[in-house]
Amino acid sequence: MYPLRRNRRLRTTEAIRSLVRETTLSPNDFLVPLFVVEGKGVKEEIASMPNYYRYSLDLLAKEVKELWSLGLKSVLLFVKVPENLKDNSGTEALNAEGLMQRAIKTVKDAVPEMLVMTDVALDPYSIFGHDGIVSEGKILNDDSSAVLAEMALSHAKAGADFVAPSDMMDGRIFEMRTLLEDEGFHDTGIMSYSAKYASAFYGPFRDALDSAPVDEKDVPKNKSSYQMDYANREEAIKETLMDIEEGADIVMVKPGLCYLDIVRDIRNAVNVPVAVYQVSGEYAMIKAAAEKGWLDHDAVVLEQITAIKRAGASLIASYFAKDVVKLIS
Ligand code: PBG
């Protein structure tokens, strides 16, 4: 009781504040998303993601060496697929010599100890910009899952340590786990985007990969028939528990900041690591406000990422990973 208890005693100096701080960040918290393109010597800035780039394989190698030197030990790969290689069923996604498969090898050659995770979904490969196969205005669930499982296997064969299905088809984790086991890839992990919401915060990412749903007859305009309704909370737990039963090693909540209640619910409900993806729109908002001089960029980045970890994230996929590691070192 006051004045016996004065809470401010624990806040008097930075020394005591740092001693009692409950949440701290380290390079071990991060997964670095990387965008890969064909070509040589390419490092192109993404218009809606200032200071974030697409790399050709030669410069990807350079970038991952830098990440490793900063203590960042895991990457999450995404590829921008040339338009002429896109179709409705992700044929190119299974190409053993495709861009993703070469990117995996490039990272492993550059830094053998780097943990390589790969995005598994059809949208970068889809002429319609959907995560699964489109038929008569619908996304086919089981046919899509079958292709996604083959895609995961192809990534495992190319050397991926983890596959990260971001598509939200039902049952795809089971399909994938079963195929990987049958083919002897017992140690290839699955990080499932288990509670992925249909969010307007993915806009800049779709610019980065040119992967937005196209506006055509008989093509769903958005991803709401597979990604979750952002009004729902209980459903996130159901999705996540099912993915764990089906064999997911790590589960994920996505996006980050608007969904921290879900992160905490899931943290309390499961006993596997929980990843959180701080997505492209979250990155773009901070960049835009900072450019205008309306927010202190570094301070806001640290505050938001600490909040994500405090909510219960075991690991965080973030476009700010490099910034944060520099800020805390
Ligand atoms: C697609 C995918 C998306 C993201 C990761 N994988 C976008 C989408 O679902 O449309 C978003 C990442 C981001 O916004 O940073 N499978």
Side-chain angles (χ1 to χ4, degrees):
M1 186 194 311
Y2 181 83
L4 299 181
R5 300 199 63 86
R6 287 179 184 269
N7 294 337
R8 290 182 56 193
R9 283 185 205 119
L10 294 177
R11 298 179 203 138
T12 26
T13 63
E14 179 51 26
I16 183 65
R17 287 193 294 273
S18 57
L19 197 64
V20 300
R21 187 162 293 136
E22 296 175 35
T23 309
T24 53
L25 298 175
S26 99
N28 299 331
D29 295 323
F30 293 100
L31 190 55
V32 184
L34 290 172
F35 298 115
V36 186
V37 282
E38 293 286 3
K40 233 182 143 149
V42 182
K43 177 181 177 184
E44 44 187 31
E45 192 173 32
I46 297 152
S48 47
M49 300 179 72
N51 202 34
Y52 220 80
Y53 302 88
R54 303 181 194 95
Y55 297 97
S56 55
L57 295 177
D58 50 337
L59 297 188
L60 175 70
K62 211 171 136 218
E63 179 65 15
V64 294
K65 283 182 188 155
E66 190 191 332
L67 295 174
W68 188 261
S69 75
L70 291 167
L72 291 161
K73 298 191 281 288
S74 322
V75 295
L76 177 57
L77 301 178
F78 296 93
V79 290
K80 183 167 189 287
V81 179
E83 211 54 42
N84 65 318
L85 296 178
K86 296 185 182 182
D87 61 18
N88 185 26
S89 55
T91 309
E92 175 61 16
L94 309 184
N95 178 359
E97 291 303 314
L99 183 56
M100 176 62 91
Q101 288 78 358
R102 280 177 284 134
I104 296 164
K105 289 178 193 137
T106 300
V107 176
K108 283 291 183 188
D109 283 347
V111 185
E113 304 97 319
M114 183 70 85
L115 184 93
V116 177
M117 295 201 187
T118 58
D119 185 60
V120 176
L122 292 191
D123 50 317
Y125 297 91
S126 162
I127 32 166
F128 300 127
H130 274 289
D131 294 28
I133 299 167
V134 179
S135 174
E136 295 171 4
K138 294 203 166 122
I139 309 299
L140 301 179
N141 190 85
D142 298 7
D143 292 354
S144 300
S145 287
V147 177
L148 294 166
E150 293 291 344
M151 188 174 172
L153 176 63
S154 170
H155 294 180
K157 284 181 177 167
D161 300 295
F162 266 75
V163 291
S166 64
D167 57 286
M168 291 295 282
M169 297 303 128
D170 288 327
R172 90 279 206 214
I173 302 301
F174 177 77
E175 288 271 326
M176 232 166 254
R177 187 69 267 162
T178 310
L179 185 61
L180 289 169
E181 291 297 326
D182 287 349
E183 297 284 331
F185 289 93
H186 310 296
D187 293 332
T188 305
I190 301 179
M191 178 175 76
S192 171
Y193 288 59
S194 38
K196 176 172 177 177
Y197 286 88
S199 168
F201 286 98
Y202 306 148
F205 173 96
R206 294 176 189 169
D207 294 342
L209 296 187
D210 188 19
S211 61
V214 301
D215 187 9
E216 270 177 42
K217 190 175 161 308
D218 286 338
V219 177
K221 300 251 172 303
N222 57 49
K223 301 190 177 182
S224 301
S225 77
Y226 44 108
Q227 298 177 349
M228 282 179 54
D229 181 341
Y230 58 70
N232 295 352
R233 186 170 177 177
E234 298 294 332
E235 191 186 11
I237 297 175
K238 177 181 73 176
E239 283 281 1
T240 304
L241 291 176
M242 283 179 71
D243 282 1
I244 294 170
E245 265 171 35
E246 291 178 29
D249 301 283
I250 300 175
V251 295
M252 187 195 281
V253 177
K254 177 185 179 187
L257 202 63
C258 293
Y259 297 84
L260 297 189
D261 54 332
I262 311 297
V263 175
R264 175 46 60 178
D265 282 348
I266 288 180
R267 171 71 287 155
N268 291 343
V270 308
N271 55 10
V272 301
V274 178
V276 174
Y277 201 138
Q278 183 192 40
V279 302
S280 58
E282 300 179 67
Y283 178 86
M285 282 201 299
I286 295 179
K287 289 290 174 193
E291 249 172 45
K292 283 189 167 280
W294 290 351
L295 283 178
D296 177 339
H297 178 274
D298 295 350
V300 169
V301 167
L302 287 177
E303 185 174 337
Q304 292 202 0
I305 293 191
T306 302
I308 290 171
K309 188 165 177 194
R310 190 195 63 222
S314 331
L315 58 141
I316 302 167
S318 171
Y319 304 104
F320 291 115
K322 251 163 100 172
D323 295 307
V324 172
V325 167
K326 288 176 187 165
L327 285 169
I328 61 179
S329 69

